[in-house]
Amino acid sequence: MNDLLLRALRGEDNPRRPLWIMRQAGRYLPEYRDLRKQHRFEELCASPELAAEVTLMPIERFDLDAAIIFADLMSPVAALGIDVRFDPGPVIDKPLRSAAAVRALNLPDAEEIAPEVPATLRLVKARLAGRAALIGFCGAPLSIAAYLVQGRGQKDFTALRALLREDPVAFGELLDTLAQLAARYGIEQHRAGADVLQIFDSWAGIFSLDDWERHIKPHVSALLDELGRAGVPRIFFANGAPHLSRSHANLPCEGLALCWRSSLGNLRHLLGPHTGSGMALQGNLDPAYLLAGPEATVRGTRELLASVPRRGHIVNLGHGISPEAPIESVQAMIDTVQAEAQESVGSPA
Ligand code: CP3
């Protein structure tokens, strides 16, 4: 039974730092690209059998400590009655632009929310047979709202920011609905076998600290509290938001994952050592190291390991792996993490 990830989240001493890679089930894998020649992305997500196969692809190839379920950030929104297509990222042809559109959303029952995802988790859980932890995921309310209001990915999400300025009440209602949707969906994933839930806040950084604390953080905290009450171990991932990391550091969750723009070492110092209560930190190698090749990857990974104490650290990239990343770089990252454990046999953690 591989419990490195759960042990790290609890701040327990580990023989080795756990390692998984954001977006590890995807286009940098030749076997994924082959399967994509026969099926559209939406078909892969809709079929528990195919989604389970993709989830396990990186586990069959590499020695990773967690599998993350293959789905999309937008998978749960169909249950709100909103159509999403992919080009290549999510596109909503009828974005929500008014208070009336926000208020017309109906909260679905847990079993109506992307039922293919819990079905996939059940298949994967059985096939993993304890080789690696199983991670479920959902989007943070803000990041889902960004797509729903903007209609597609955009650097600044001006339509979402305008909604906050125009109608903060409707903005709050939207985030509240999305937090409740994510809580139901996340708890259902835990029931279906997810050991841990990662909450992706891919667009975490688009507001100021003041706006985040006033208008967004309460919804994130409510979501995390609800998951916590249901006993779901939580990792919150904040992308592109170093100006918020001190505020993220007191969210109710077991793990905080930061993008490569932040210093995990500095944050660990600020929080103090993980002694069993407190937060584990996850990340945060710049994915560009992998593009620069195996040698650069070894160098970057060694620097990361030297900068963050082993206890309470989960090694990962600082954002999703690029489709162009060479397989050899992924292997080099894994080898470097394993070599550290070999080198330190007999010496204190
Ligand atoms: O391996 C894994 O991490 C599991 C699968 C996974 C996918 N999407 C599959 C996917 C996960 C965890 C996601 C989450 C996701 N989706 C996020 C949060 C993570 C992040 O990067 O911040 C976001 C923002 C999305 C939205 C999304 N979906 C985009 C922007 C795109 C297109 C470009 C891209 O990044 O790949 C997608 C499509 C998508 N989701 C693909 C995959 C494998 C590519 C589809 C294809 O095969 O063409």
Side-chain angles (χ1 to χ4, degrees), residues 23-27 32 36 41 68-73 86 88-90 137 147 200 202 319:
R23 312 296 291 270
Q24 65 189 25
R27 288 167 299 174
Y32 176 80
R36 275 281 279 115
F41 172 64
I68 179 160
I69 202 70
F70 184 80
D72 194 74
L73 201 68
F86 288 85
F137 76 91
Y147 283 109
F200 281 92
S202 303
H319 198 191

Side-chain angles (χ1 to χ4, degrees), residues 50-182:
L50 291 172
E53 186 184 334
V54 178
T55 302
L56 288 165
M57 280 176 179
I59 305 300
E60 305 297 351
R61 188 187 264 274
F62 302 113
D63 199 355
L64 292 162
D65 301 305
I68 179 160
I69 202 70
F70 184 80
D72 194 74
L73 201 68
M74 300 304 281
S75 298
V77 310
L80 291 173
I82 298 172
D83 290 329
V84 181
R85 59 185 176 86
F86 288 85
D87 178 28
V91 181
I92 285 102
D93 289 318
K94 287 185 219 142
L96 304 177
R97 292 284 167 87
S98 67
V102 167
R103 281 174 200 139
L105 297 174
N106 274 321
L107 205 57
D109 291 337
E111 23 344 314
E112 294 169 327
I113 308 170
E116 68 279 10
V117 174
T120 306
L121 283 160
R122 282 185 211 99
L123 290 178
V124 173
K125 186 77 171 182
R127 293 179 197 171
L128 271 177
R131 276 179 288 168
L134 181 53
I135 302 177
F137 76 91
C138 65
L142 170 65
S143 290
I144 301 281
Y147 283 109
L148 295 185
V149 175
Q150 197 70 45
R152 61 188 311 149
Q154 206 210 43
K155 194 166 141 287
D156 299 322
F157 290 95
T158 42
L160 180 73
R161 285 163 48 223
L163 177 66
L164 173 63
R165 301 309 174 207
E166 195 184 311
D167 193 340
V169 175
F171 181 95
E173 287 177 10
L174 176 58
L175 264 58
D176 178 55
T177 299
L178 295 174
Q180 292 188 55
L181 179 76

Side-chain angles (χ1 to χ4, degrees), residues 271-296:
L271 294 175
H274 197 324
T275 53
S277 70
M279 267 187 197
L281 297 179
Q282 178 179 285
N284 69 343
L285 187 72
D286 181 353
Y289 273 110
L290 274 61
L291 298 176
E295 276 178 37

Side-chain angles (χ1 to χ4, degrees), residues 140-141 197-201 204 212 220 223-224 234-239 248 251-258 279 282:
L197 193 80
Q198 175 151 314
I199 299 95
F200 281 92
D201 208 352
W212 143 260
V220 175
L223 163 62
L224 294 171
R234 305 147 291 182
I235 300 174
F236 183 79
F237 169 58
N239 183 45
H248 284 135
L251 284 171
C253 54
E254 287 70 27
L256 178 63
L258 295 178
M279 267 187 197
Q282 178 179 285

